[in-house]
Amino acid sequence: MAEQTSSATPQPTELWVERTGTRAYTGRSSRGAEVLIASQGVPGAFTPGELLKIALAGCSGLSADFSLARKLGDSFDATIRVSGDADRENEVYPQLDEKFELDLSELDEEARERLLVTVQRAIDKACTVGRTLQAGTKVTLSFDVEA
């Protein structure tokens, strides 16, 4: 029996945060994921800026994953560190720095260089978070209040 694929467009994931305490929120998705968000120094929670950085690193990793797995095998190890200090006067991150940590010792120098170029291209093409940060984006805010 042939497997049927659905041509229906998947429903977009709904995202929201709920206040759970003083300067503390829980981010939720309609897929059941949760993340704790709070001020810096609150144990077990991320700040919004930390989540931004993690989103960038995660997006880069996911964008590069296929290229890396094809060359290194499905069980390769990777860590992507991301950093960048906030400019508190203007409340922006003027620069975010990512660093991939990969063991490419099994590859010769030419193969390493080719792989890194391929990975960079994959990230440049497919990392929506990085592309959005580089391009800038319009953000709108509205209110739904009970009177």
Side-chain angles (χ1 to χ4, degrees):
M1 178 182 232
E3 197 174 301
Q4 292 184 344
T5 58
S6 173
S7 62
T9 304
Q11 293 298 312
T13 301
E14 292 183 40
L15 302 171
W16 68 96
V17 297
E18 296 174 355
R19 187 172 190 268
T20 55
T22 303
R23 295 188 49 79
Y25 289 77
T26 298
R28 302 186 192 281
S29 84
S30 58
R31 294 191 327 263
E34 293 184 349
V35 63
L36 303 179
I37 307 164
S39 298
Q40 189 168 1
V42 174
F46 291 103
T47 67
E50 290 167 342
L51 287 173
L52 175 75
K53 293 175 193 177
I54 286 173
L56 176 62
C59 187
S60 292
L62 289 169
S63 298
D65 204 76
F66 179 77
S67 298
L68 289 167
R70 187 174 58 216
K71 193 68 172 175
L72 303 174
D74 283 334
S75 62
F76 74 92
D77 292 326
T79 300
I80 304 149
R81 299 195 186 276
V82 60
S83 61
D85 294 330
D87 170 352
R88 289 296 172 209
E89 185 177 315
N90 296 301
E91 289 299 335
V92 298
Y93 290 97
Q95 179 170 331
L96 297 175
D97 300 306
E98 294 179 278
K99 181 183 283 187
F100 267 74
E101 295 175 359
L102 299 164
D103 180 359
L104 303 181
S105 61
E106 298 297 316
L107 303 177
D108 63 42
E109 186 175 343
E110 187 178 313
R112 279 194 302 269
E113 289 302 315
R114 278 195 316 267
L115 177 59
L116 295 177
V117 167
T118 300
V119 165
Q120 182 69 60
R121 285 181 182 151
I123 293 167
D124 290 346
K125 180 180 179 183
C127 180
T128 305
V129 174
R131 292 171 58 90
T132 299
L133 289 170
Q134 289 174 351
T137 193
K138 179 181 176 183
V139 177
T140 63
L141 173 65
S142 62
F143 296 92
D144 185 1
V145 299
E146 294 179 26

